[in-house]
Structure formats: structure tokens, C-alpha cells
Amino acid sequence: MKSPFHVMIIPTLGCPSKCHYCWSSDEGSPRMSIETVREIAEWLKDYQSNQVTITFHGGEPLLAGAEFYRQALPILSEGLAHLAPTFALQSNLWLLTPELAEILAEYQIPIGSSIDGPEEITDAQRGKGYFAKTMRGYEIARENGLEVRFICTFTNRSVKEKETIFDFFLKQGFPLKLHPALPSLRSKDPKEWALEPEEYGELLVYLLDRYLDNLGRIEVMNINDLCRGIFTRHGTVCTFVDCMGTTLAIGPDGSIYPCYRFVGMPKYVMGNVRDRPTAEDLARSKAWKLMHAFKDYVDQECAGCAHIKYCRGGCPYNAIAPTDGEVRGVDPHCVAYKRIFDEITTRLNEEIFGSGDMEMGGFGSPFVRNTKPGIMAILRTMATK
């Protein structure tokens, strides 16, 4: 089976919010022209034959405006019809208007947004007024039938409020997807907000327990992905797969990058859509070779790790961006990944092979395990969706 092909279009790196831990926005960023969108469609239609998912990301992609999407979506949808394109968008929702929402709804575009918990926690990390503006946009999205899911960034400060944050998502009925705050490459104090790997690992274990206590009432997407990866022996999100070749990003000027996280970093440009590069052309770039050097490093350094098949050394950006493009190690969050992978594996093995907590059932019944819901319950829940 062919893997889906994912293209992230970055209309601009500009963003109206000023999140304290942001590592990617650029106020001086240009905005993508419709001509560049046409170039993207012309390039993609012959680049490969897999089904394609296109995500508009940023910066803040809604800065491109309603007219941009009114033109861009038909260009991509019709020009790439043979690739059966689907669309998604990542936005803080501040600039969502009924007009824009109607355009996005025509293409049934799901939206990923960001809140870090209750208003006081979100605004402390993302700036005063952030929560209210995002929730206003959320209401417009919902009124127009758009699906919205939130990403919650945990910092070294908000992790101390993990119970409050989980309870907020539970009460609101929002699925919880989390990211750890990364060291900012643009800050004089890169780790001012960054969540340390050890804390991240303990946070994931905490969320696993809270998820199991509330199974059926909330979805913790990260835990689902981690459990699925262990069970299938293959990563199911980009952090835990060899993403080179199946994921690409296109910056405002048409430059092609390995991933949206590298957009705006000149040394990671692999080509430009206007030149119609083939996969072989991209493979000759320094950035492509660097990504494959990371893969080779993982194959060697992680060969003895029980989790290598569904971890793959974590995110290449996390590993090589802080070292100025040198492959010196795997994703620094390896400590966290190993902590949660070990925890899930141990619990799953106990559920399958027994851990001594057995009692006799009713007459004629075999021994049954006397436990609360476990990893298999999560897997069964996912299987029914």
C-alpha cells in the first residue's frame, strides 16, 4: 500500500499573536501569491501519484485572506483531482470570519487550533486576550459546520497545572492533543519555556492514567497514537516515522523544505516549485541528504532499542535544528518517548500474559482479570471509530 503524501503550504510566516515560546513566526515574512499556488498545483500533478493531503500552516495562514482561499482551493482541488486531494488548516482562528468559514466549509476543511488550557493559563503563555479571540473564532467555525480540534502546548510552567488543564479539556468535551514547548532558536534564553524531556515523559504517563480513568469521556490523541504504534509496530504520526519523501513543505515564495518546521531556514531549501523538481532533483539537495543522514544515524545508534520500529529516533527537526544542521544525536525527547513506550509496553504485556491479579468468575467461568481499563481498552475504543 502506498503511503499518503502530505504537503504543507505556508502562505506566510507572519502571525498576529505573540506567543511567548514561539519559535517559528516572522513578522517580515512575505505572503504567498496565487501565481505560486498555480505553480504548486502544476508541480504536484506530475511529482508523484499518491493521494495527497494538503495542510495550510504558518505562521498564521488566515493572514492570506478570504480571496486567497477562494482562488487557491479550486486551483488545487481541480488541478490535482487525480490525486484526490484533501485539505486541512492550522490556525489560531483570530482572523476567521463567516465569509472565510463558508469558503473552508465548502471543502469540508478540518481546523487544528491551539489553546493551552483555561483562559488564565493560555493567556499567560500566549498573550493577554489570546483565549477570547480564539474562542470567538471557534464559535464562527462551529456555526459553519467546521470541525475544530485543539493542540495544547505544555511548557515548564504549565506542566505544574496539568490536572487543571486536563480537567478543562474534559469538561469542555475537547479531544486533547499536546505538544511540548521546544527550545526557541530565536531567544536569548532558549529554554525559558521549554519542557524538559524528563518532565515530558512523566506528563505522558500522567495523561495515560487520567485517560484510562475517563475512557469514553475524552480522547487523548497522543496516547492513542503511542498505543497504536506499539501494537502495529509502526509509527502512525510524523514524529515517529521516516518522513523524508512523504512529507514536504512549501514556503511563501515556493521554496520546498523537508517539513514546515524548517520553512524560512535557507540551508534547508531543497528546490522551488517553479522549477518543477523531481524526487531525484530534491534528493540531490543538502537538506535531503541531511535528513537521510539522520535516518542512517538512527539505524546505527538505536539498533538495540526495543522501540526503534515505531519511534525512529523521533523528530529530525528536534535533533538537528539546535545543532545547526549537524547530526549529533536523536530527538532530545528520546527520554520521554522511552518512558512512555516502556510504560505502555509493560502494561500491555501484563494485560496479555497476566500479572497475578486473577480471580475466579461465576460458575463455569474461567479466571478473569480484576483490573480497571487498560491499554487493550484504548485499542478497542480506537477500533470502533
Side-chain angles (χ1 to χ4, degrees):
M1 181 182 296
K2 291 183 177 181
S3 298
F5 185 58
H6 189 192
V7 174
M8 307 185 95
I9 294 179
I10 317 300
T12 180
L13 285 173
C15 183
S17 61
K18 300 290 184 291
C19 301
H20 296 305
Y21 49 76
C22 182
W23 48 268
S24 63
S25 66
D26 180 1
E27 293 184 7
S29 172
R31 297 187 187 180
M32 183 176 287
S33 67
I34 286 299
E35 183 55 38
T36 297
V37 175
R38 292 193 180 93
E39 297 280 9
I40 292 171
E42 286 298 314
W43 170 62
L44 280 178
K45 74 177 185 181
D46 296 322
Y47 181 76
Q48 50 82 63
S49 59
N50 294 15
Q51 188 275 327
V52 62
T53 296
I54 297 173
T55 299
F56 295 95
H57 212 292
E60 173 47 63
L62 294 187
L63 279 170
E67 189 58 30
F68 174 86
Y69 289 98
R70 185 177 286 111
Q71 296 184 58
L73 288 167
I75 290 170
L76 296 166
S77 181
E78 295 166 16
L80 303 176
H82 62 296
L83 301 181
T86 58
F87 300 97
L89 184 138
Q90 183 69 34
S91 167
N92 63 24
L93 299 177
W94 291 14
L95 302 176
L96 187 66
T97 62
E99 179 188 14
L100 251 173
E102 186 176 340
I103 295 168
L104 300 178
E106 183 179 347
Y107 291 85
Q108 299 179 315
I109 298 179
I111 299 175
S113 192
S114 298
I115 51 172
D116 294 347
E119 185 169 11
E120 61 273 16
I121 293 176
T122 296
D123 285 6
Q125 299 193 154
R126 292 180 171 268
K128 186 173 177 57
Y130 182 102
F131 182 92
K133 293 176 184 177
T134 294
M135 295 312 293
R136 279 198 296 272
Y138 171 74
E139 292 302 326
I140 293 173
R142 297 291 292 169
E143 288 167 4
N144 285 271
L146 291 167
E147 177 189 1
V148 179
R149 290 195 169 195
F150 292 106
I151 295 172
C152 174
T153 298
F154 278 86
T155 67
N156 55 26
R157 306 179 191 189
S158 67
V159 72
K160 299 175 177 61
E161 304 291 336
K162 59 183 181 290
E163 183 174 355
T164 299
I165 293 170
F166 183 90
D167 289 343
F168 168 81
F169 277 83
L170 179 64
K171 181 178 179 180
Q172 296 296 323
F174 296 154
L176 174 58
K177 181 178 181 180
L178 64 135
H179 282 174
L182 300 171
S184 174
L185 302 183
R186 303 184 181 197
S187 172
K188 294 179 180 178
D189 183 8
K191 291 193 174 184
E192 181 182 2
W193 294 88
L195 185 64
E196 290 296 327
E198 292 80 7
E199 284 189 298
Y200 183 29
E202 294 308 313
L203 171 64
L204 289 170
V205 174
Y206 168 81
L207 292 174
L208 171 61
D209 286 328
R210 291 297 308 274
Y211 189 18
L212 291 171
D213 288 340
N214 294 277
L215 204 58
R217 299 178 60 206
I218 190 172
E219 179 182 9
V220 182
M221 298 170 68
N222 303 66
I223 300 300
N224 284 351
D225 293 331
L226 293 163
C227 290
R228 188 185 293 112
I230 290 173
F231 191 75
T232 63
R233 314 300 291 176
H234 186 275
T236 59
V237 291
C238 65
T239 301
F240 303 121
V241 297
D242 294 322
C243 57
M244 193 66 240
T246 60
T247 298
L248 295 173
I250 303 170
D253 66 349
S255 293
I256 304 168
Y257 300 82
C259 170
Y260 81 98
R261 289 184 166 184
F262 294 105
V263 173
M265 304 171 73
K267 70 167 55 180
Y268 295 100
V269 173
M270 300 188 297
N272 193 289
V273 293
R274 65 173 175 267
D275 299 320
R276 311 289 193 272
T278 64
E280 291 74 21
D281 293 331
L282 298 184
R284 286 191 283 269
S285 68
K286 290 183 179 179
W288 185 295
K289 292 175 181 177
L290 181 58
M291 297 289 283
H292 277 275
F294 176 77
K295 176 182 179 297
D296 294 340
Y297 182 90
V298 170
D299 286 336
Q300 179 179 339
E301 296 298 317
C302 303
C305 178
H307 310 300
I308 184 174
K309 288 185 177 180
Y310 45 83
C311 176
R312 298 303 306 152
C315 176
Y317 174 89
N318 291 351
I320 63 181
T323 60
D324 198 28
E326 291 186 31
V327 180
R328 301 178 191 168
V330 297
D331 184 338
H333 288 130
C334 172
V335 174
Y337 305 148
K338 190 173 189 305
R339 175 73 177 92
I340 189 62
F341 281 138
D342 282 349
E343 187 72 25
I344 293 172
T345 300
T346 298
R347 296 190 191 193
L348 185 58
N349 286 338
E350 288 178 351
E351 290 176 43
I352 295 174
F353 300 112
S355 58
D357 53 345
M358 307 288 282
E359 64 178 20
M360 179 65 80
F363 179 77
S365 300
F367 285 96
V368 294
R369 199 173 311 286
N370 182 25
T371 62
K372 67 178 185 179
I375 306 305
M376 289 302 297
I378 294 176
L379 293 169
R380 284 193 295 269
T381 299
M382 288 189 289
T384 60
K385 292 185 176 181

